[in-house]
Amino acid sequence: MAKQNVAEQFVDILVRAGVERLYGVVGDSLNPVVDAVRRNSAIDWVHVRHEESAAFAAGAEAQVTGKLTACAGSCGPGNLHLINGLYDAHRSMAPVLALASQIPSGEIGLGYFQETHPDRLFQECSHYSELISSPKQMPRLLQTAIQHAVGRSGVSVVSLPGDIAAEPAPEKAAETALVTSRPTVRPGDAEVDELVRLIDAADKVTLFCGSGTAGAHAEVMEFAEKIKSPIGHALRGKEWIQYDNRFDVGMSGLLGYGAAYEATHECDLLILLGTDFPYNAFLPDDVKIAQVDVRPEHLGRRSRLDLAVWGDVRETLRCLIPRVREKENRRFLDKMLKKHADALEGVVKAYTRKVEKHVPIHPEYVASVLDELADEDTVFTVDTGMCNVWAARYITPNGRRRVIGSFSHGSMANALPMAIGAQFTDRGRQVVSMSGDGGFAMLMGDFLTLVQYDLPVKVVLFNNSSLGMVELEMLVAGLPSYGTTNKNPDFAAVARACGAHGVRVEKPKDLAGALKSAFKHKGPALVDIVTDPNALSIPPRISAEMVTGFALSASKIVLDGGVGRMVQMARSNLRNVPRP
């Protein structure tokens, strides 16, 4: 049997860790690893058209599966292209292993062609970033990188010179057991005791939930029932907590709606559950606040805390539910539920009146029809910008759907490459990329990846020929819009030229049929929908503090354009409110 080289050993370790695909672009220093993948039937090479797409795809696959994924870039410019997608994966707590291949080891530090220092460059967007400088070092270093990525839920980067990858692997390399899942974390008794005391002493408690409530839906509902608490959520908490939730009062933040803002400000005790909600301008400063998070570095970095609790949300609630006293008075809860329903009822008209005649098409209407027609287990990948608004307000979670976007990093062009990673996990599951024309055009080359692998991703393109969110930022800042207009092609014709299904929609009456046709198509499809660029209005209540320093938007955005089926749920919840 031929002796393994380092690249083959590297790939074998990835396979042992459960990695099924390596996303990237081939080239020079990376070639030994790509060849090792070619000869290993347990792992596939996914050839994308841009390394940034590789990192976004790996990050999305990790978020859908919860498992370690991997991407790769060749030396210098190749691996440098990974950085934006890796930032997003790291901030989304997605376990991703990135291979940054390096120039010949004997040339490092001498200004060689394409020389960079990836072990330094990626430090800020990873838990671990190291250079392999000898074959003997590789197995333990890679295993350490994997355990950082999985154990700390984020990115690890391994830099590997091409010449070392081609060298013989060391014999009898230790096969250390790999960590491939994370443990649960129970909070300390003292913190649980104090949290019980705070809850029992408060008359009005509000829960505000983030992505850390994943897997804890039942416990959150049971807890809210016992303490008669309204439940608000951040954008990343929406898919985990909004469905089947009779305590729902909406979302707070720059895309907020409903009564979440009021519920968090009018309570006696606000409990932040699994959220690193970044916008402290929307958090109260005159109520008691307790925060529960599995990442201790998140505790207290957004707001003043009266109590910090280090633990999993589910484990913490399992400790609390038997111990807190059940509250009998639900006046505060009922008041917030009514405020929520009234707030949603007041904004629903704009996308239901005369939509069949409105040209350009209301983007709100597009999102509402998409929500109705999409499958019950669809994975939606969402571009940053106005598509965030439409997804936040119109895509209805149900416990089976997923909504993935660059919600923490806020990068443009994320939706299409994320859809690639999501679709590779299950070709039979519907994946919809909610793309803006600006974001789609930025990484449009990877539409060819859909065609090359016949991935049945459906791209729903909200085409308003502008960078809509940036125009809004300029408007709020008192500036005329400038440099925000896009001169676009007929994207549907581009899709057809690539070999995919493509249809352009300019009239509302054609929308449903176009979406149904795309969804029925077996391969990749694109629906280019010409939408109204003047879809947003600025709310009457806005503070300078809310505007300052926000990278995604510049105001607390409230739409006149409705909130989809959420108003139905809110009114349904009101039926449970006891009548005097």
Side-chain angles (χ1 to χ4, degrees), residues 34 37 75 77 113 200 246 288 290 304 309 385 394 425 446 492 495 497 505:
V34 174
V37 171
C75 63
F113 176 65
D200 287 347
R246 61 186 183 277
K288 290 186 176 180
R304 173 198 55 78
V309 180
Y394 294 94
T425 67
D446 269 295
V505 180

Side-chain angles (χ1 to χ4, degrees), residues 49 446-455 495 497-501 524-525:
R49 303 307 173 100
D446 269 295
F447 190 79
L448 296 171
T449 302
L450 301 183
V451 176
Q452 179 160 337
Y453 289 96
D454 197 28
L455 292 174
C498 293
H501 175 88

Side-chain angles (χ1 to χ4, degrees), residues 423-483:
Q423 191 72 83
F424 264 115
T425 67
D426 184 352
R427 285 177 173 268
R429 186 176 186 180
Q430 188 178 77
V431 176
V432 173
S433 171
M434 294 178 65
S435 297
D437 58 291
F440 180 76
M442 187 177 284
L443 285 175
M444 186 166 59
D446 269 295
F447 190 79
L448 296 171
T449 302
L450 301 183
V451 176
Q452 179 160 337
Y453 289 96
D454 197 28
L455 292 174
V457 169
K458 314 307 177 189
V459 177
V460 178
L461 188 59
F462 290 74
N463 182 1
N464 62 5
S465 296
S466 71
L467 302 178
M469 188 66 82
V470 180
E471 286 192 352
L472 181 63
E473 294 169 0
M474 291 177 173
L475 179 63
V476 170
L479 302 172
S481 60
Y482 183 74

Side-chain angles (χ1 to χ4, degrees), residues 43 139 143 185 257 286 298 327 368 370 382 427 442 489 493 531 541 560 573:
I43 189 171
Q143 289 161 358
V185 178
Y257 56 81
D286 57 353
H298 290 177
K327 297 186 186 296
S368 66
L370 173 61
V382 184
R427 285 177 173 268
M442 187 177 284
T531 59
R541 188 178 68 180
D560 280 341
N573 287 344

